[in-house]
Amino acid sequence: MKLTCCWSATLLLTLVPSCCQSGNILVIPTEGSHWLNNEILLKALHSRGHNITIARSSKSWYVKDSSPYYSTFTVPVERSFDKKYTRRLVTEYIKFQRGASPLASFLHVTMGMIDKNVEVHRAVSEFLPAMLDDTELMRRLNQSKFDLVLTDPWWGNGAIVAKYLNLPLVYNVRWLNPEEAHFAVAPSPISYIPVTLSGYTDKMNFFQRTKNMITYLITQIQTTSVSKLVYQPLCSKYLGPDADFDQIKSGADIWLIRTDFVFDYPRPTMPNVVYMGGFHCTPAKPLPKDLEEFVQSSGEHGVIIMSLGTFVPSLPDDMANKIAASFAELPQKVIWSYSGSKPSTLGNNTLLVDWMPQKDLLGHPKVKLFVAHGGTNGVQEAIYHGVPVVGLSLFFDQYDNLLRLQDRGGAKVLTLTTVDKDDNFLKAVKEVLNEPSYRANMQRLSRLHRDQPIEPIDNALFWIEFVMRNKGAAHLKAQSHGMPWYIYHSVDVALFLTGAVLLMLLTAVMFIRCLCKSACRGKLKRD
Amino acid sequence: MKLTCCWSATLLLTLVPSCCQSGNILVIPTEGSHWLNNEILLKALHSRGHNITIARSSKSWYVKDSSPYYSTFTVPVERSFDKKYTRRLVTEYIKFQRGASPLASFLHVTMGMIDKNVEVHRAVSEFLPAMLDDTELMRRLNQSKFDLVLTDPWWGNGAIVAKYLNLPLVYNVRWLNPEEAHFAVAPSPISYIPVTLSGYTDKMNFFQRTKNMITYLITQIQTTSVSKLVYQPLCSKYLGPDADFDQIKSGADIWLIRTDFVFDYPRPTMPNVVYMGGFHCTPAKPLPKDLEEFVQSSGEHGVIIMSLGTFVPSLPDDMANKIAASFAELPQKVIWSYSGSKPSTLGNNTLLVDWMPQKDLLGHPKVKLFVAHGGTNGVQEAIYHGVPVVGLSLFFDQYDNLLRLQDRGGAKVLTLTTVDKDDNFLKAVKEVLNEPSYRANMQRLSRLHRDQPIEPIDNALFWIEFVMRNKGAAHLKAQSHGMPWYIYHSVDVALFLTGAVLLMLLTAVMFIRCLCKSACRGKLKRD
C-alpha cells in the first residue's frame, strides 16, 4: 500500500487562523448520510470564519477533494466504505428480510451485524496506518496548530487521530460502532431505554424488557468485537501499549448528538452532551420552476413525496410495482426519488426523480405525506416541517426511528415483510392522509422541536467554539470516565460494608453466646 | 388554628393574564437565602409581564405581604420556619461543633439532622392544612386559572399544592429535604458523586467512597423519615390514599437547579433539568458614596469583605475577637457584615456593617478577597466576579460548597474547629491574598461560568414560559419516574435470564448424563 499523501496545493499555508476569533479544525469524516449532515455543520463553521481541513480517504464515496468550504488532503487506501460494497450488503439484506419470520429477522440482523461490522471497520480503519505512518504528513499536521478534531465516531479513526495529535475532540454523533452514542457516555437503564433493533418504545412489559436486555447484550458483543479486533491493535501500535480504545473513544470533550427529546425518549444524559437534533433543518426555499408547477397541479389533494435514503436507490421490482400501483390509485400527485428501473404500474400522477429537494418539498404547504425509510435526517426533517409519515423501514435504526413517530401518533410504520402484503401500503397511505390526528401530532412535535432557547445549529457552533476558546471542556467530563465497572457501581464498597455488618453481627452473636454460656455455667455451679 | 385566609385586596382581579403572552404563576415560597434568590427570579418574571401570586405563611420571616412585583395572600399558621427558632438551632450547632472531634462532628451533623429535619418540616407543613382546608380559598384559586406552580422543594408544600390544583410544577431548587436535588431525579453513582456532608471531592479513594456511601445511606434515612412522617400523611389526606409523596415530589415538569458544572462536579443529569447556577448574579452597580470612599481609601492594598450569610448574624465573642485581631494586622481595609457586639480587638481598618451590597462589592476592582461562609448564593457570586475566597464553613452544605472552590485552587477553607487555633485565620487570609494562583483560578472559573450560550436567568425564564406555553413538559419526563427500583435496575429480568441460563445448563447436563448412562448400559448389555 502506498503511504504517501496528496495534499491539496496551498493547504498548510491556510491552516493558521486568520484572526484570533477564527479556529482551525481537522475533520476525520465518515460517509453517506453521516457526511451529508456533517457537511452542513462544516459550511456553518466556514461561514463563521473557521479554517477546515478534511483528511479524506482516496476511496471516499461522498467527500469530494475540493470545495469552497474546506481544504482537503487525501490518504491513499486500498479499501474503505465504498458504494459498491455497501449497496451489495443492503440489497442482500433486503432480499433476506422480505421472507423472514420475526425471530429469523431479529437473529439475522443482530448476530449478522457482528461479523459484518468487524468487516466494515477493518476496511475503513485502513485509513489509520496510511495516515499515521506518513511521518512527513504527521509533521506538517503537528505544525498546523489545529484547535480540535471534529469527527463522527461511527468509525473509530477520528478519536485515534485526535489522541495521536494530542488535540481536543468534538463528536458529531449518533452511533459508535454500533451502539447508540449515549450508551458510551451516560448511564443507560435498560428498563426503559429501548436498545436500537429492539423495536420497542420506552414503555415495555416484562417480556419486552427481557428482549431489550438480550438485544443490549448482543450490541455489547458487537461493540466489543469491533473495539478489540479492529481498533485496539491500532491504538496499541500508534499510541502505546497502555492506550485503551474504549477510553479514548468515550473521552471526547463535547458530544454533539443528532437527536433531541422531541424525537427520542427522555433518558439520562451528561454535562458534555449537547443535543442538536434537526440542526440541518432550515425553512423551505422556493422549488425549481418545473417542480413547483408539478406540485401546484395537485390542486386540493396535495402531494406525497417518497424517498428511501442514501443507501437504497431502488427496490425489488415486484415491490416497486406494488408501491407504484398503490400511488396510481390516489388522487394526490406523487414525487418519488427512485433510481431503479421504471415500475410497469407507474401512474400518471407519479413523477420519478433521481434526486429531489426533500427539505424544501417537506416545507411546501401542498405536501401532505412523506413516505420515508426512517433515516435520522429525514425523520428530523419531517418533525421540523410537521409532515406525517408512512414509514418503510429497511435496516438498522430505521424501524426504531419511525417507531418514535408512530408512538407519538405522527406516523404509520410498515416493514419489508408487510409492505407488499394485501393492500397494506395503500391502506397505510390512505389512513395517514385521511385521519387528521397524524398531521396534528406531527405539527405538535414540530412546535415542540422549534420551542428551544437556542437553535440546534447555533448551540452546536457555540460548543465547538467553546472547545477552541478553552482548549477542550475538561470541566464537563465526569470522573466516571475510565472508571472500572466494579468501582463505578460501588461493588467493592457494597461487599466491604456487607462483610463489615456480617462480621459485627457474628461478633455480637458469639459474644451473646459466650455470655449465655458463662451465665449457664454460673447457674450450674450455684445449683 | 384559624383556617381562613386574608387575600390582599385586588388579588383575584389581577390573576387573568393581561395578554396571551403573560402567564399566571402561583408561588409557594420557602425562607432565608432560598427566598432571596427566588425573589430575583420573580422580579425577572414580573418584568416579562407575568402575574405572580404568593401564598405566604402568616409566620413568614422573609416574604413580605406587599410588593410591587407580586400579589400575596396570607395563610394563617401557628408554627413555621421562624427567625428565633432557626437562630437558636444555628447557635447551638456552632457551640457544639467548635469543640467536637471529626467523628463526633460528623455523627452530630448527620444523625442530628434526622430529628431536626422532621421537626422543621412538621412546623413548615402546618401551612398545608391551613391552606387546603379553606374551601373558599381553594375555590378561588381554582378559578384563578394559574399556568403553573413555582416552588423551592426544600419544603414539600409546593409539590402537594400543585398536585391538589392539578397544575404544572416548576422547581427553583438545590435541595429536597435534605438530599441534593439530582438524587431525586437523575442517576447518581456514589462512586464519584460526593454526597453533601461527606466533605469529599469527585476523586475519592476506597475509604472515602465507603464514608461517602455511609453518608448517602444516612441521607436516605433523613429523606425517607421526612417523607413518610411528615408529608405522606398529608398527601394521603388531601390527595387520596394512592397518592405517593415521593412520586409527587420527583414529578416536577422542570427542575431549575441552582448550580452549574463550573461550580459543581460533572455528573449524570436529565432532560428536564435546567442549570441556572449564578442566575442571580449581575454586573456590579456603583457603591453608595460613603462605602465607595472607604473602598478607595484602601489604596493599592485593596479591600477584604466578610459575610457569614442569612442565618448567622454573629459569632461567639472569642472567635469574633480573634478574627477582628487578624484583620487589624493587615494593610487592607475590611468590610465586615456583622450584627453581634463590637469585637474588642477591632482595628481601625475594619468597618462593621449590618448589611452590605455584597454583589456590588464583589464586582469592585478594589476587592481582593471574600471571607465567606460558603452558602450557594455567595459562592456563585464569588465565581461570577472571580474573587478568591477564604471560607469559614458553618453548617450543612457550606463546607462542600467551599471545597469545590478549594479543589479548583480558588479558595482556602477553614472550619469552626480550626478557625481560631494558632494563626490559622490570618495565615489563610495572607496566603490567598499573596499567592496569585488563587485569583487566577477564580478568574478562570469566572470566564468559564460566563462562557455559556444563554444567560442562566434567560434560560430559567425560557423554561418557565415553555411550561406555560405547553401546559407542562411531559415529553421531557423519563419513564423511570415512579418505576419500582427492582424494575428500574432490571433485577427481575436479570434473575429471570440467570434462571433460564441455569435451567438450560441443568437440562443439558442431565441430558448428557442420560446419554452417558444409556451408552454405559448398552455397553454392559453388549459385554
Side-chain angles (χ1 to χ4, degrees), chain A residues 120-413:
Chain A
V120 167
H121 284 279
R122 271 201 208 287
V124 300
S125 67
E126 287 191 5
F127 175 91
L128 276 176
M131 183 172 171
L132 304 183
D133 281 339
D134 186 339
T135 47
E136 174 56 18
L137 168 66
M138 297 315 289
R139 190 188 62 75
R140 289 152 78 191
L141 286 178
N142 267 316
Q143 282 177 347
S144 299
K145 301 208 181 305
F146 288 106
D147 293 302
L148 58 88
V149 168
L150 176 65
T151 196
D152 183 327
W154 179 28
W155 303 344
N157 298 342
I160 295 175
V161 169
K163 191 77 183 170
Y164 190 90
L165 293 171
N166 201 21
L167 289 171
L169 179 61
V170 175
Y171 282 164
N172 166 7
V173 56
R174 182 114 206 269
W175 313 105
L176 292 98
N177 60 48
E179 65 182 352
E180 202 271 337
H182 286 96
F183 282 82
V185 69
S188 304
I190 303 301
S191 48
Y192 73 97
I193 297 175
V195 178
T196 310
L197 302 181
S198 70
Y200 295 131
T201 71
D202 60 348
K203 295 163 280 294
M204 292 176 269
N205 61 29
F206 177 76
F207 168 76
Q208 291 168 330
R209 286 190 293 114
T210 305
K211 191 179 149 201
N212 196 43
M213 178 64 85
I214 293 170
T215 315
Y216 169 74
L217 295 173
I218 294 171
T219 310
Q220 288 310 296
I221 297 173
Q222 292 169 2
T223 302
T224 308
S225 57
V226 168
S227 281
K228 300 296 172 211
L229 297 177
V230 181
Y231 294 108
Q232 185 55 49
L234 289 163
C235 274
S236 304
K237 181 175 174 191
Y238 291 102
L239 301 171
D242 295 335
D244 180 80
F245 176 66
D246 289 331
Q247 278 196 40
I248 291 166
K249 172 181 92 169
S250 60
D253 290 273
I254 293 289
W255 299 58
L256 305 171
I257 298 193
R258 297 191 295 270
T259 61
D260 60 16
F261 297 110
V262 174
F263 165 57
D264 213 341
Y265 297 116
R267 50 109 69 234
T269 176
M270 294 300 278
N272 58 343
V273 170
V274 174
Y275 294 94
M276 61 163 187
F279 75 97
H280 64 293
C281 301
T282 45
K285 292 192 291 289
L287 298 175
K289 195 162 169 271
D290 53 343
L291 207 58
E292 179 66 33
E293 278 170 14
F294 181 79
V295 167
Q296 289 301 342
S297 73
S298 67
E300 61 175 332
H301 296 296
V303 175
I304 297 167
I305 65 170
M306 173 164 175
S307 164
L308 297 180
T310 317
F311 296 128
V312 186
S314 66
L315 291 169
D317 284 347
D318 57 332
M319 192 183 279
N321 280 333
K322 188 88 182 184
I323 290 173
S326 302
F327 281 146
E329 286 190 39
L330 295 166
Q332 281 76 22
K333 291 284 172 91
V334 180
I335 303 170
W336 184 359
S337 176
Y338 193 73
S339 308
S341 55
K342 185 178 166 182
S344 57
T345 55
L346 199 75
N348 287 332
N349 66 337
T350 305
L351 179 69
L352 285 194
V353 291
D354 274 343
W355 177 88
M356 63 181 179
Q358 184 173 296
K359 292 196 277 187
D360 302 329
L361 278 164
L362 283 168
H364 197 291
K366 286 273 185 204
V367 171
K368 305 296 178 196
L369 173 70
F370 182 24
V371 180
H373 66 306
T376 310
N377 290 349
V379 167
Q380 296 276 12
E381 288 159 18
I383 290 174
Y384 180 84
H385 291 292
V387 176
V389 168
V390 166
L392 168 52
S393 71
L394 302 174
F395 59 94
F396 195 45
D397 61 322
Q398 298 171 355
Y399 180 78
D400 298 281
N401 291 341
L402 292 165
L403 187 68
R404 279 148 179 73
L405 293 192
Q406 181 169 278
D407 192 35
R408 275 73 170 244
K412 181 106 187 160
V413 189

Side-chain angles (χ1 to χ4, degrees), chain A residues 187 189-192 202-203 206 209-210 213-214 217 261-262 264-271 408 447-448 451-454 458-459 462-463 466 469-470 474-480 483 486-494 496-497, chain B residues 187 189-192 202-203 206 209-210 213-214 217 261-262 264-271 408 447-448 451-454 458-459 462-463 466 469-470 474-480 483 486-494 496-497:
Chain A
I190 303 301
S191 48
Y192 73 97
D202 60 348
K203 295 163 280 294
F206 177 76
R209 286 190 293 114
T210 305
M213 178 64 85
I214 293 170
L217 295 173
F261 297 110
V262 174
D264 213 341
Y265 297 116
R267 50 109 69 234
T269 176
M270 294 300 278
R408 275 73 170 244
R447 279 195 303 277
L448 283 175
D451 200 353
Q452 296 187 51
I454 180 168
D458 294 332
N459 207 17
F462 175 88
W463 285 105
F466 179 96
R469 280 192 294 275
N470 298 289
H475 73 293
L476 298 178
K477 279 199 235 178
Q479 276 297 320
S480 52
M483 205 175 241
Y486 60 91
I487 292 184
Y488 179 87
H489 292 291
S490 297
V491 175
D492 53 347
V493 169
F496 173 75
L497 285 177
Chain B
I190 302 302
S191 47
Y192 72 97
D202 59 349
K203 295 163 279 295
F206 177 77
R209 286 190 293 114
T210 305
M213 177 65 84
I214 293 169
L217 295 173
F261 297 109
V262 174
D264 213 341
Y265 297 116
R267 48 111 69 232
T269 176
M270 294 299 279
R408 275 74 170 243
R447 279 195 304 277
L448 282 175
D451 200 353
Q452 296 186 51
I454 180 168
D458 293 332
N459 207 18
F462 175 88
W463 286 106
F466 179 96
R469 281 192 294 275
N470 297 289
H475 73 293
L476 297 179
K477 279 198 234 178
Q479 276 297 319
S480 51
M483 206 175 241
Y486 60 91
I487 291 184
Y488 179 88
H489 292 290
S490 296
V491 175
D492 53 348
V493 169
F496 173 75
L497 285 177

Side-chain angles (χ1 to χ4, degrees), chain B residues 414-471:
Chain B
L414 301 167
T415 62
L416 285 168
T417 47
T418 58
V419 64
D420 55 354
K421 282 196 184 125
D422 307 323
D423 284 331
N424 280 345
F425 185 76
L426 185 60
K427 277 185 204 155
V429 168
K430 281 184 171 172
E431 182 182 329
V432 177
L433 279 170
N434 299 330
E435 170 55 66
S437 67
Y438 285 97
R439 189 165 191 90
N441 285 322
M442 285 303 282
Q443 293 280 327
R444 184 177 55 81
L445 294 183
S446 177
R447 279 195 304 277
L448 282 175
H449 169 77
R450 290 168 183 237
D451 200 353
Q452 296 186 51
I454 180 168
E455 292 279 331
I457 183 77
D458 293 332
N459 207 18
L461 292 171
F462 175 88
W463 286 106
I464 293 171
E465 292 174 354
F466 179 96
V467 169
M468 291 178 192
R469 281 192 294 275
N470 297 289
K471 321 270 177 229

Side-chain angles (χ1 to χ4, degrees), chain B residues 166-361:
Chain B
N166 201 21
L167 288 171
L169 179 61
V170 175
Y171 282 164
N172 166 6
V173 57
R174 182 117 205 267
W175 313 104
L176 291 100
N177 59 51
E179 65 183 351
E180 200 271 338
H182 285 98
F183 282 81
V185 70
S188 304
I190 302 302
S191 47
Y192 72 97
I193 298 174
V195 178
T196 310
L197 302 182
S198 70
Y200 295 132
T201 71
D202 59 349
K203 295 163 279 295
M204 292 177 268
N205 61 29
F206 177 77
F207 168 75
Q208 291 168 330
R209 286 190 293 114
T210 305
K211 191 180 150 201
N212 195 44
M213 177 65 84
I214 293 169
T215 315
Y216 169 73
L217 295 173
I218 294 171
T219 310
Q220 288 310 296
I221 297 172
Q222 292 169 1
T223 303
T224 308
S225 58
V226 168
S227 281
K228 299 298 173 209
L229 297 175
V230 181
Y231 294 107
Q232 185 54 48
L234 290 162
C235 274
S236 304
K237 182 176 174 191
Y238 291 102
L239 301 171
D242 295 334
D244 180 82
F245 175 67
D246 288 332
Q247 278 196 39
I248 291 166
K249 172 182 91 170
S250 60
D253 289 273
I254 293 288
W255 299 58
L256 304 171
I257 298 193
R258 297 191 296 269
T259 62
D260 60 16
F261 297 109
V262 174
F263 164 57
D264 213 341
Y265 297 116
R267 48 111 69 232
T269 176
M270 294 299 279
N272 58 343
V273 170
V274 174
Y275 294 94
M276 60 163 188
F279 76 98
H280 64 293
C281 301
T282 45
K285 293 193 290 290
L287 299 174
K289 195 163 169 272
D290 52 344
L291 207 58
E292 179 65 33
E293 279 170 13
F294 180 80
V295 167
Q296 289 301 340
S297 72
S298 66
E300 60 175 334
H301 297 295
V303 175
I304 296 168
I305 65 170
M306 173 163 175
S307 165
L308 297 180
T310 318
F311 296 129
V312 186
S314 65
L315 291 169
D317 283 349
D318 57 331
M319 192 183 279
N321 280 334
K322 187 88 182 184
I323 289 172
S326 302
F327 282 146
E329 287 191 36
L330 295 166
Q332 280 77 22
K333 291 284 171 94
V334 181
I335 303 169
W336 184 0
S337 176
Y338 192 73
S339 307
S341 55
K342 185 178 166 181
S344 58
T345 54
L346 199 74
N348 287 333
N349 65 339
T350 305
L351 179 69
L352 285 194
V353 291
D354 276 342
W355 176 89
M356 64 182 177
Q358 185 173 294
K359 292 196 277 186
D360 302 329
L361 279 165

